[in-house]
Amino acid sequence: MPNAAFTTTLLAFLTAVSFGATTPTPRACEAPYYRYEDNVPGVYLVNFTDGYTLQQHFDTLGQTFDVTKLNTGYSANLTDDLLSEVRADCGVQFIEEDALGLSPAEDDNNIDDFSQSSGFLDRRAKQKDAPWPLVQLSASRQNPTDDTYYHVEDSGQGVDVYVLDSGINHPQDELTDDNGNDRIIDGFNYSNDLDYTDIGPAPGHGTRVASAIGGKGYGVAKSVTLYNVKFFHNGFPDTLGFVRAMQAIIRKHDARKTQSSFKGSVINMSFSLKKTLSSNKQLDLAYDAGISLVAGAGNYGYGPNHHPSTHPKVISVAGSTNGYIPWEEIGTGSNYGEKQIDLWAPGRRLPLCNRNGKLYPSVGTSFAAGYVSGILAIFY
Ligand SMILES: *[C@@H]1O[C@H](CO)[C@@H](O)[C@H](O)[C@H]1NC(C)=O
Ligand SMILES: *[C@@H]1O[C@H](CO)[C@@H](O)[C@H](O)[C@H]1NC(C)=O
Ligand SMILES: *[C@@H]1O[C@H](CO)[C@@H](O)[C@H](O)[C@H]1NC(C)=O
Ligand SMILES: *[C@@H]1O[C@H](CO)[C@@H](O)[C@H](O)[C@H]1NC(C)=O
């Protein structure tokens, strides 16, 4: 004869199992979760399988919460509990933390000290007394005796160059058109900076890059349009900001393609991003949309993988001196190596225009990449 207490316990047990009241439901899925040592705490990028929707996801979870929609899924602040729920949804392919790269302050230094005449703020197809990087870039052989930069009229007109950096200051003569109008467009902000000025751990970095790309006196393509794209998180490039910026740029590029005056787009990336699935994907998408991607090879004086420069679809630019040798310093210098580098361009003792509009001697592969972005604009 069964004991009454036992029967009650058994019944309670069976009830619990069949209704899932006290034992956890077995998980059908568990999406991979990628962690990064340096990250924005609590912020995740969630990737859906093709065709899966946010509504389906919320329905599966039985709850809704605040998200930033992405073309590959969404981003949200998740608690540990919610994170496990999200991973258990079979519509989720993977989750990754919002990884941080290095700020340009750690990437680019400006230790040069030299004086050079700044009498070349004069826009010509033949620019006399040009800064040495421009002379070298347009010369047909090494050590040219003629100090002219040969370029074409209206070089880069109709080309959009997206400068993902610390900001670009304006107005300044260096970055205007023939009528004195700005060639800088603000309007891409995925950072937490309160304005579009060139600020952060490396103030002036973005303006100098812009000056290398399209400066009237110091730069390569003197009629390009420069897009001031901000996405750093407290001064550090992060995956989420990068993904959102790239989505916006690709949309803009696709819209511009329908306009007859439009020639092409170049994205210049002057930062060290953490290599993640989500950032790699956006580089592929931008490339597929027909955008040229240029990045500095990094200023660590060595060859290990650097992101995004070593992504196979990105043109990775190393920095050379005016003597045509790799730029090297104690403890720093241009990255190098066959697997790391596509091109070398001037990268040390560079006369460029700073955020205050003044000549500023610069060093770094960032600026080498800026010159190459300018050359691509001329090709377009
Ligand atoms: C998400 O977390 C980040 C960093 O921890 C914080 O800056 C941000 O305000 C949070 N966002 C929301 C919507 O809570
Ligand atoms: C993420 O999700 C989308 C579809 O939802 C997919 O097309 C994409 O390739 C996925 N992967 C990455 C790395 O973003
Ligand atoms: C950029 O976006 C952040 C976050 O939404 C906002 O706080 C900031 O004011 C914006 N900055 C600019 C220049 O629009
Ligand atoms: C271009 O990219 C390089 C390399 O990442 C960076 O160092 C430089 O600042 C960027 N230049 C501009 C003008 O954005």
Side-chain angles (χ1 to χ4, degrees):
M1 176 99 177
N3 162 312
F6 174 75
T7 311
T8 313
T9 311
L10 183 66
L11 271 175
F13 177 68
L14 289 173
T15 309
V17 169
S18 49
F19 295 105
T22 55
T23 43
T25 328
R27 298 194 180 284
C29 291
E30 186 165 46
Y33 165 36
Y34 300 96
R35 298 159 202 261
Y36 302 102
E37 206 174 309
D38 295 314
N39 59 47
V40 184
V43 179
Y44 300 87
L45 286 86
V46 177
N47 183 276
F48 286 155
T49 54
D50 282 328
Y52 199 62
T53 66
L54 190 60
Q55 191 54 54
Q56 288 173 304
H57 182 58
F58 283 158
D59 288 348
T60 305
L61 266 58
Q63 60 176 313
T64 64
F65 43 88
D66 282 345
V67 303
T68 301
K69 280 192 182 181
L70 302 174
N71 59 10
T72 52
Y74 68 91
S75 164
N77 289 21
L78 302 176
T79 60
D80 289 349
D81 285 349
L82 190 49
L83 176 65
S84 349
E85 299 291 316
V86 168
R87 289 181 70 187
D89 179 353
C90 298
V92 172
Q93 273 200 80
F94 69 86
I95 299 178
E96 55 184 345
E97 293 174 349
D98 185 18
L100 292 171
L102 298 175
S103 82
E106 299 168 54
D107 190 15
D108 270 291
N109 45 24
N110 298 282
I111 51 171
D112 277 344
D113 150 33
F114 75 114
S115 56
Q116 175 162 357
S117 113
S118 55
F120 33 72
L121 288 172
D122 175 13
R123 190 186 156 281
R124 290 170 284 191
K126 272 189 194 173
Q127 183 182 354
K128 291 259 183 225
D129 297 326
W132 74 264
L134 303 185
V135 173
Q136 277 199 355
L137 288 168
S138 72
S140 55
R141 58 180 183 85
Q142 284 201 355
N143 303 312
T145 49
D146 169 0
D147 63 2
T148 304
Y149 169 46
Y150 296 92
H151 65 98
V152 291
E153 281 293 348
D154 301 325
S155 49
Q157 194 159 69
V159 180
D160 298 339
V161 182
Y162 296 90
V163 182
L164 282 67
D165 215 298
S166 52
I168 308 174
N169 273 13
H170 59 113
Q172 35 191 322
D173 292 346
E174 174 75 345
L175 301 173
T176 53
D177 65 16
D178 287 346
N179 303 318
N181 299 319
D182 266 353
R183 280 183 288 121
I184 306 163
I185 295 181
D186 293 331
F188 288 77
N189 166 46
Y190 300 98
S191 73
N192 50 4
D193 293 348
L194 295 181
D195 61 43
Y196 279 100
T197 55
D198 187 350
I199 51 172
H205 188 271
T207 305
R208 296 200 299 278
V209 172
S211 156
I213 297 169
K216 273 159 57 178
Y218 307 110
V220 171
K222 299 168 188 300
S223 301
V224 291
T225 302
L226 297 153
Y227 286 78
N228 188 358
V229 184
K230 285 202 153 189
F231 79 90
F232 293 173
H233 183 89
N234 298 334
F236 290 86
D238 70 312
T239 309
L240 177 58
F242 181 72
V243 167
R244 297 180 72 195
M246 292 295 278
Q247 289 184 168
I249 292 168
I250 294 168
R251 268 200 305 276
K252 177 79 185 178
H253 171 79
D254 285 339
R256 289 276 282 141
K257 278 199 273 199
T258 62
Q259 298 168 352
S260 59
S261 60
F262 176 68
K263 299 287 194 298
S265 306
V266 180
I267 296 179
N268 187 78
M269 297 171 289
S270 50
F271 45 81
S272 301
L273 201 64
K274 184 77 193 168
K275 186 180 284 191
T276 62
L277 294 177
S278 305
S279 59
N280 269 333
K281 181 70 194 178
Q282 291 302 320
L283 292 164
D284 289 335
L285 291 173
Y287 181 88
D288 292 345
I291 301 175
S292 291
L293 302 162
V294 184
N299 304 330
Y300 307 99
Y302 57 30
N305 258 348
H306 178 260
H307 192 65
S309 61
T310 55
H311 185 282
K313 289 166 184 168
V314 171
I315 299 170
S316 174
V317 187
S320 53
T321 69
N322 59 358
Y324 301 94
I325 58 169
W327 153 58
E328 269 186 291
E329 306 282 342
I330 295 170
T332 172
S334 176
N335 285 7
Y336 56 85
E338 212 177 314
K339 298 215 172 75
Q340 315 296 326
I341 307 305
D342 295 307
L343 296 171
W344 292 82
R348 193 191 188 295
R349 297 177 68 83
L350 310 170
L352 291 172
C353 178
N354 206 15
R355 64 201 289 267
N356 58 4
K358 300 236 166 73
L359 175 67
Y360 193 88
S362 306
V363 56
T365 61
S366 295
F367 311 109
Y371 292 124
V372 171
S373 293
I375 302 260
L376 284 168
I378 292 186
F379 282 138
Y380 278 127

